[in-house]
């Protein structure tokens, strides 16, 4: 038995030791300032991602047309790809080195032979240049320009009716939540019932907060929906009863946490952490 | 004497011819403009108008409508400080289609790239499919105008106000959005000198897009006591959509309740936020009840309902009352 335990512990140490060696490290570095001019608000349209789509369409267009033996369009897409690739290489000076114009031209030349095998082979060199940039920059670009920032959101606290920063608001929700659970744990049911009014009001305010970005009811309800209504109704019923049932109380607290809080945190927190590093 | 009589006759004759000519022209312009050859109308066309002009250009003829629009929230849909703040300096994509619509036509519009400061303006609502459209077929020489019955139907407003449109539809009330928010009165569509006399008066909608204030008569309040509970209900009984309503804005009604003991001391309070974004807005003609547990011996409750529009932080009192036990 002891031997088995020793083997398991040793295996765990070996696994933990090996893990960093095999894991890939990712550095998420803030994108250069020069990229900002291709995204709102500096630009009316998200020009950078549009440029990516253009190149991707022409790259795909070469192979779609090679398969369909539409060689006129193969040539057109090959030429356009080189043209857009060159244009993109000049957009962000800090990223110039990611681009290899010769590789793009070699791909276009191979595509124009109308031999799908040659085009496929030549696409490797060009694809590597795209892949390297995507591996090193894509997460950062999405975090910076495609995810709205939580740190710019202001929330009107329904209790004080003052507008506060989102992070502070999360703090006040957390405190009022503890007002409910701590008092309940101590058997102070009246205090817990009063704290529930405050907590519910702050929690439900999140529906308005979600609507600052989410336009459809379904998305908002994913975070603060039927489960939240059920949980609050259940909590209120328990706290207003003669003898609250702890089992039912904690079950409803769990329901709130598992549906509302967890849903939002799983989707948004990682990105919010990245943005917070850059905005501080 | 004879000479002066001839001059008088001449004046009368010219006057009569003038009046008859004007009457004919008036009849032609208002009733039978299809008789005017297209080649003649072409001479009066202004091609600039059919290239998405700025609102100021429209005001050269439609001064009254322009000034009403200028007073509306539509004219500042892109420039209002509140919008700029709420849309994080206009970067939120979800806001763009309705704050700078390219073309409003019964479905969610696309955002436009030009003349964004104009907000929701003449071109957005009246220049559809490369044609000037409105509630009437009109001669309007600078630009032919074609009748589209949607201009007096709610579904037109529903292009952007989708949620409100659905709420209204569910009430089965016949009054349209335009009936309440664009009340019509007889007037001229153009104020340009000369042309204003040629065009007959028509029913013209108020382009300030009136935002109805919520008044005491609109929300019925009932309240009562039940052992250790205070119960209050609210009913929106006059406005055929939820109150307040908004697709993405955040207008609110605040219901404040203060509880007092016999000594007149405030011992507890409660608050409800009645808002479309929290799905707590008051539906049409339905009583919504709120219950409050009383932790102390309560003698009276002071209740106040306040309204805060989406674009302001100011609240106005809709109703207030004291309920004694």
């Amino acid at each position: 038995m002891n031997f088995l335990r020793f083997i398991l512990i040793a295996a765990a140490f070996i696994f933990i030791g090996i893990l960093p060696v095999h894991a890939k490290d990712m550095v998420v570095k803030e994108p250069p300032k020069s990229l900002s001019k291709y995204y709102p608000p500096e630009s009316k349209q998200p020009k950078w991602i549009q440029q990516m789509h253009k190149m991707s369409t022409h790259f795909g267009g070469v192979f779609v047309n090679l398969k369909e033996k539409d060689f006129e369009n193969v040539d057109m897409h090959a030429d356009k790809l080189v043209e857009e690739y060159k244009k993109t290489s000049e957009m962000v000076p800090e990223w110039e080195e990611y681009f290899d114009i010769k590789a793009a031209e070699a791909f276009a030349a191979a595509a124009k032979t109308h031999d799908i095998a040659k085009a496929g082979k030549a696409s490797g060199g060009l694809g590597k240049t795209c892949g390297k940039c995507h591996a090193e920059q894509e997460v950062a670009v999405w975090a910076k320009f495609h995810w709205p920032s939580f740190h710019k959101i202001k929330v009107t606290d329904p209790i004080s009716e003052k507008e506060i920063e989102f992070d502070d608001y999360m703090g006040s929700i957390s405190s009022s939540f503890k007002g409910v659970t701590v008092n309940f744990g101590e058997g102070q049911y009246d205090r817990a019932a009063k704290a529930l009014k405050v907590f519910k009001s702050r929690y439900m305010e999140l529906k308005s907060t979600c609507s600052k970005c989410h336009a459809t009811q379904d998305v908002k309800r994913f975070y603060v929906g039927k489960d939240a209504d059920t949980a609050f109704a259940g909590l209120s019923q328990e706290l207003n009863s003669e003898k609250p049932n702890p089992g039912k109380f904690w079950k409803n607290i769990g329901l709130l946490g598992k549906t509302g809080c967890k849903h939002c945190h799983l989707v948004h927190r990682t990105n919010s952490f990245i943005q917070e590093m850059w905005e501080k | 004497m004879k000479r002066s009589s001839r001059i008088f006759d001449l004046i009368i004759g010219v006057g009569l011819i003038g009046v008859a000519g004007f009457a004919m022209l008036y009849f032609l312009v208002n009733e039978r403009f299809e008789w005017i050859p297209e080649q003649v109308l072409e001479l009066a066309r202004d091609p600039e108008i059919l290239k998405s002009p700025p609102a100021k250009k429209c005001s050269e003829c439609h001064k009254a409508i322009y000034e009403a629009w200028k007073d509306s929230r539509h004219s500042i849909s892109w420039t209002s400080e509140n919008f700029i703040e709420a849309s994080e300096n206009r970067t939120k994509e979800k806001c763009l289609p309705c704050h700078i619509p390219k073309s409003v036509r019964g479905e969610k519009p696309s955002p436009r790239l030009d003349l964004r400061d104009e907000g929701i303006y003449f071109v957005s609502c009246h220049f559809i499919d490369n044609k000037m459209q409105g509630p009437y077929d009109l001669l309007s020489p600078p630009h032919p105008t074609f009748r589209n019955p949607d201009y007096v139907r709610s579904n037109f407003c529903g292009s952007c106000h989708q949620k409100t449109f659905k709420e209204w539809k569910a009430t089965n009330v016949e009054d349209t959005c335009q009936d309440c928010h664009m009340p019509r009165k007889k007037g001229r569509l153009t104020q340009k000198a000369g042309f204003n006399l040629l065009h007959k008066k028509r029913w013209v909608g108020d382009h300030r897009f009136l935002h109805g204030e919520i008044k005491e008569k609109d929300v019925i309040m009932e309240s009562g006591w039940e052992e250790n509970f205070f119960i209050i209900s609210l009913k929106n009984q006059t406005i055929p959509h939820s109150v307040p309503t908004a697709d993405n804005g955040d207008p609110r009604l605040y219901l404040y309740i203060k509880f007092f003991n016999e000594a007149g001391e405030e011992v507890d309070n409660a608050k409800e936020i009645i808002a479309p974004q929290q799905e707590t807005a008051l539906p049409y003609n339905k009583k919504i009840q709120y219950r409050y547990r009383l932790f102390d011996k309560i003698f009276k409750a002071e209740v106040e309902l306040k309204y805060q529009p989406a674009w302001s932080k100011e609240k106005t009192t809709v109703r207030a009352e004291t309920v004694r036990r």
Side-chain angles (χ1 to χ4, degrees), chain B residues 84-228:
Chain B
I84 293 169
E85 193 193 332
S87 62
E88 284 175 19
N89 198 15
R90 301 149 167 168
T91 57
K92 280 187 185 163
E93 279 178 45
K94 74 158 189 167
C95 310
L96 308 187
C98 290
H99 279 259
I100 39 166
K102 198 169 179 183
S103 193
V104 177
R105 52 198 305 163
E107 58 198 37
K108 191 117 183 176
S110 305
R112 66 175 188 276
L113 294 172
D114 63 334
L115 298 173
R116 290 180 160 192
D117 283 355
E118 303 277 21
I120 304 150
Y121 76 129
F122 294 64
V123 169
S124 310
C125 295
H126 290 281
F127 192 57
I128 317 285
D129 296 332
N130 290 317
K131 285 194 299 191
M132 204 61 80
Q133 300 191 26
Y136 303 107
D137 273 323
L138 295 167
L139 171 66
S140 51
H143 58 75
T145 303
F146 300 90
R147 181 178 171 270
N148 178 343
D150 282 348
Y151 281 88
V152 290
R153 293 178 182 154
S154 293
N155 62 312
F156 189 81
C157 311
S159 310
C160 285
H161 303 281
Q162 292 180 351
K163 204 166 133 189
T164 309
F165 174 65
K166 277 186 201 155
E167 290 164 3
W168 166 79
K169 219 171 168 191
T171 66
N172 289 320
V173 168
E174 280 182 13
D175 289 344
T176 63
C177 304
Q178 291 88 338
D179 287 335
C180 296
H181 298 282
M182 292 183 78
R184 278 156 279 196
K185 63 177 186 184
K186 280 245 170 170
R188 300 197 195 275
L189 287 165
T190 175
Q191 284 67 45
K192 196 166 190 176
F195 293 97
N196 55 344
L197 298 175
L198 270 178
H199 287 280
K200 72 175 181 187
K201 283 188 175 179
R202 293 175 190 271
W203 290 105
V204 185
D206 191 329
H207 281 68
R208 287 177 296 165
F209 308 99
L210 304 178
H211 179 268
E213 283 172 23
I214 303 169
K215 299 206 173 90
E216 201 172 331
K217 67 170 176 56
D218 298 318
V219 182
I220 300 299
M221 190 190 281
E222 285 171 0
S223 54
W225 308 88
E226 207 178 78
E227 282 186 51
N228 59 338

Side-chain angles (χ1 to χ4, degrees), chain A residues 150-186:
Chain A
F150 271 96
H151 311 289
K152 289 179 189 161
I153 296 175
K154 286 200 171 109
V155 187
T156 304
D157 178 23
I159 307 304
S160 68
E161 293 185 21
K162 283 187 182 142
E163 207 171 55
I164 56 174
E165 302 287 333
F166 187 81
D167 287 348
D168 296 336
Y169 190 70
M170 282 290 123
S172 57
I173 284 193
S174 175
S175 320
S176 44
F177 173 69
K178 285 180 186 97
V180 181
T181 54
V182 168
N183 279 312
F184 188 86
E186 293 167 355

Side-chain angles (χ1 to χ4, degrees), chain B residues 36-66:
Chain B
I36 304 172
E38 192 54 39
Q39 296 90 323
V40 175
L41 292 175
E42 279 302 323
L43 298 173
R45 297 281 188 244
D46 184 348
E48 283 306 305
I49 293 178
L50 299 177
K51 285 186 198 162
S52 307
K56 199 77 193 152
K57 174 82 181 165
C58 309
S59 77
E60 288 172 12
C61 292
H62 307 289
K63 197 170 171 244
I65 292 177
Y66 171 82

